Amino acid sequence: MDTSQDIHTQLLLRHSAVQTSPQHAAMLNSQTNKKFISTIDKTQHPAGYKVTLTGYAGFILARESATSDYQSLDGLLRQLRAIPRSPSANILKGSISTFKLENNAYRIDYRIANGEVVVYNIQLIDKLQKQRDRLEQASLYHVKRNNQGIWQIKAKTDKVSTPYAAVNGQSNNLTKAAWLMGAHLEYEFKNLREYTLFHNPSDGGIGDTWESFRDKMGITTAVTRHFAKVLSNTQAQDNKTQWIAHSQGGVIFAEAVRYLLNGSSSWMFNKGRLNGLRTPDKGKLLDRHSIVFHGNANNNLRSKPLFSRAGVKVLAIRSNDYDMVPNIIGMNTLNPRKIIGSVLYSNHVMSGSVLQSPHTLMQSQASWRHNMDNGPGKGRNGIQKVFNKIETSIASQSRPNYLP
């Protein structure tokens, strides 16, 4: 489905914390809107506005109905029947009919038209979402495509039994990690039906950054020690595995390899060897593994010798030209154009839409530019427009730049 033709999908992807893939959201919204029926208020014909839900909003409502917080959501939706233009609702800038309303647990986004309230987004408030995310544990999951092509978690598992696997990055809860890493694997390997996810749970933005910093400094974190066991066990099973590591996942992968080279020790010197420099099984320790990095936060110059010593084959390293994670955090470029662009587009990494972020998905530079011009999101600000104009002009006149 062309999401540009669906105003509710556009609004969802532009302003909301979408909890499934853009393709899945568009597919859900292609369904007919359904009337909201309260499971708490049993009034057969309630007075007031008619409240309907898009396919995506209905999907989230059904999922939340099994939680202890559902009563709060039901009450928020019932409130719209009587007072859709509540004094506590915030109106979308530039609109007269699109609103956001919150209570102590949920946020809903909706539009009012022809005496009807259409709810197109339901999400937990940030505080409650973070509380749920912190309950998740580092674990392996078997993820499969359903008949509609949507990635879904099938079961928790204790080993990697698929030829493809992934480790996710920062600020991903399990729901997001499953579809996002499926998208990264699909970009690289095509036509996959299943994979194994090593879920790196989120401790919040500050907590995840602190975790990455410790791993980069060689202070091996608990999640990385767990992942190192996964690599070691998979090697022992003689399973040939191709991995995708995204963002913080690159740091976890690189530090896990260093940790194993050191005989499961965080110290860079162990038994007289520096980071496994003279390891007796050089090139064979993890030779059943290969890796593709997307937008990785680890430094490639530091990591590649470790992979060579362990026998891990690096299949590809890919990133957007203006992704601040590999360029600035990973320190993987000296190219001034990329560094300046990474700083200028950092707002799209921090709080941009899925399709306009230079970091979230792996897409070609041309595809990303198209989404910046036409896709859902806030687009370029004034400074970014000037930079884009200058960059486009220079690119059309100059020879290729060979800096990394």
Side-chain angles (χ1 to χ4, degrees):
M1 178 183 178
D2 183 358
T3 60
S4 65
Q5 303 303 312
D6 181 357
I7 188 170
H8 295 123
T9 303
Q10 281 275 341
L11 286 167
L12 175 69
L13 296 177
R14 184 176 299 157
H15 302 290
S16 311
V18 62
Q19 299 168 61
T20 186
S21 68
Q23 295 81 1
H24 190 199
M27 184 184 300
L28 290 166
N29 283 345
S30 67
Q31 302 169 5
T32 303
N33 292 357
K34 293 185 179 180
K35 183 179 178 180
F36 164 65
I37 300 175
S38 172
T39 59
I40 296 171
D41 179 3
K42 303 294 185 178
T43 304
Q44 203 164 27
H45 299 289
Y49 279 73
K50 178 183 178 183
V51 177
T52 63
L53 300 106
T54 63
Y56 174 81
F59 168 76
I60 301 299
L61 181 71
R63 193 182 71 185
E64 289 298 310
S65 65
T67 70
S68 59
D69 301 300
Y70 178 74
Q71 186 170 347
S72 181
L73 175 56
D74 191 287
L76 192 61
L77 291 168
R78 280 186 282 121
Q79 181 181 333
L80 293 180
R81 292 172 177 167
I83 319 175
R85 289 182 172 86
S86 168
S88 58
N90 294 320
I91 190 167
L92 182 69
K93 185 177 180 180
S95 173
I96 59 171
S97 61
T98 306
F99 299 84
K100 175 179 73 175
L101 184 64
E102 293 183 357
N103 61 12
N104 61 350
Y106 291 94
R107 161 186 157 182
I108 56 175
D109 299 344
Y110 59 97
R111 301 178 71 237
I112 302 173
N114 302 319
E116 181 177 322
V117 179
V118 181
V119 177
Y120 64 84
N121 177 50
I122 297 171
Q123 66 188 67
L124 291 168
I125 62 171
D126 289 346
K127 180 180 178 181
L128 189 55
Q129 183 64 64
K130 289 176 182 177
Q131 288 176 359
R132 286 196 191 176
D133 291 349
R134 288 191 178 102
L135 295 175
E136 296 178 350
Q137 301 293 321
S139 300
L140 287 171
Y141 294 89
H142 185 202
V143 186
K144 294 188 72 172
R145 281 187 185 276
N146 64 16
N147 292 334
Q148 288 76 43
I150 305 303
W151 292 107
Q152 293 183 331
I153 294 170
K154 301 306 293 183
K156 199 171 184 179
T157 183
D158 58 358
K159 63 180 180 180
V160 178
S161 57
T162 57
Y164 299 96
V167 52
N168 63 276
Q170 182 170 322
S171 301
N172 287 187
N173 59 26
L174 181 56
T175 299
K176 182 179 180 181
W179 71 257
L180 181 58
M181 296 315 300
H184 280 273
L185 282 159
E186 177 66 19
Y187 179 91
E188 200 66 43
F189 299 114
K190 314 297 187 236
N191 302 318
L192 301 188
R193 300 303 303 177
E194 62 179 353
Y195 76 95
T196 302
L197 169 69
F198 177 82
H199 177 45
N200 161 37
S202 177
D203 291 322
I206 295 175
D208 291 347
T209 301
W210 172 236
E211 192 174 59
S212 291
F213 176 78
R214 284 180 290 154
D215 273 332
K216 291 182 80 167
M217 294 297 103
I219 307 169
T220 318
T221 59
V223 68
T224 298
R225 290 196 298 270
H226 187 165
F227 181 67
K229 289 181 181 178
V230 170
L231 290 179
S232 183
N233 291 343
T234 306
Q235 176 78 16
Q237 295 159 14
D238 201 32
N239 291 340
K240 187 176 180 181
T241 309
Q242 297 185 75
W243 290 86
I244 291 275
H246 177 235
S247 191
Q248 184 194 2
V251 176
I252 291 171
F253 194 98
E255 176 59 12
V257 171
R258 192 189 73 85
Y259 178 79
L260 291 172
L261 282 168
N262 284 357
S264 298
S265 170
S266 291
W267 298 102
M268 62 180 179
F269 279 102
N270 188 35
K271 297 180 181 179
R273 299 193 297 266
L274 171 64
N275 288 331
L277 186 61
R278 297 194 306 275
T279 182
D281 50 359
K282 188 172 182 179
K284 297 180 181 178
L285 182 67
L286 296 170
D287 63 356
R288 302 299 287 167
H289 298 278
S290 55
I291 179 70
V292 176
F293 290 105
H294 285 176
N296 54 305
N298 57 298
N299 181 265
N300 296 322
L301 288 176
R302 179 174 182 261
S303 299
K304 283 182 178 179
L306 300 175
F307 301 146
S308 178
R309 292 169 205 163
V312 177
K313 184 178 181 181
V314 179
L315 301 176
I317 300 174
R318 308 189 197 280
S319 65
N320 185 289
D321 281 359
Y322 306 129
D323 183 352
M324 63 175 285
V325 175
N327 290 343
I328 296 176
I329 297 174
M331 296 186 289
N332 285 310
T333 186
L334 296 173
N335 189 322
R337 174 183 66 86
K338 292 184 178 182
I339 293 171
I340 293 169
S342 295
V343 173
L344 293 181
Y345 284 103
S346 61
N347 65 321
H348 285 283
V349 176
M350 300 293 190
S351 61
S353 67
V354 171
L355 294 173
Q356 288 191 344
S357 167
H359 180 66
T360 304
L361 292 173
M362 192 66 248
Q363 52 186 322
S364 69
Q365 207 68 18
S367 175
W368 175 74
R369 288 180 181 280
H370 173 79
N371 284 322
M372 286 300 300
D373 292 332
N374 307 294
K378 49 194 169 188
R380 295 183 178 90
N381 61 29
I383 297 175
Q384 290 164 354
K385 287 178 181 177
V386 171
F387 176 80
N388 181 61
K389 187 173 182 180
I390 294 172
E391 179 213 10
T392 303
S393 175
I394 292 174
S396 65
Q397 301 173 26
S398 63
R399 295 178 180 178
N401 189 326
Y402 292 102
L403 283 172

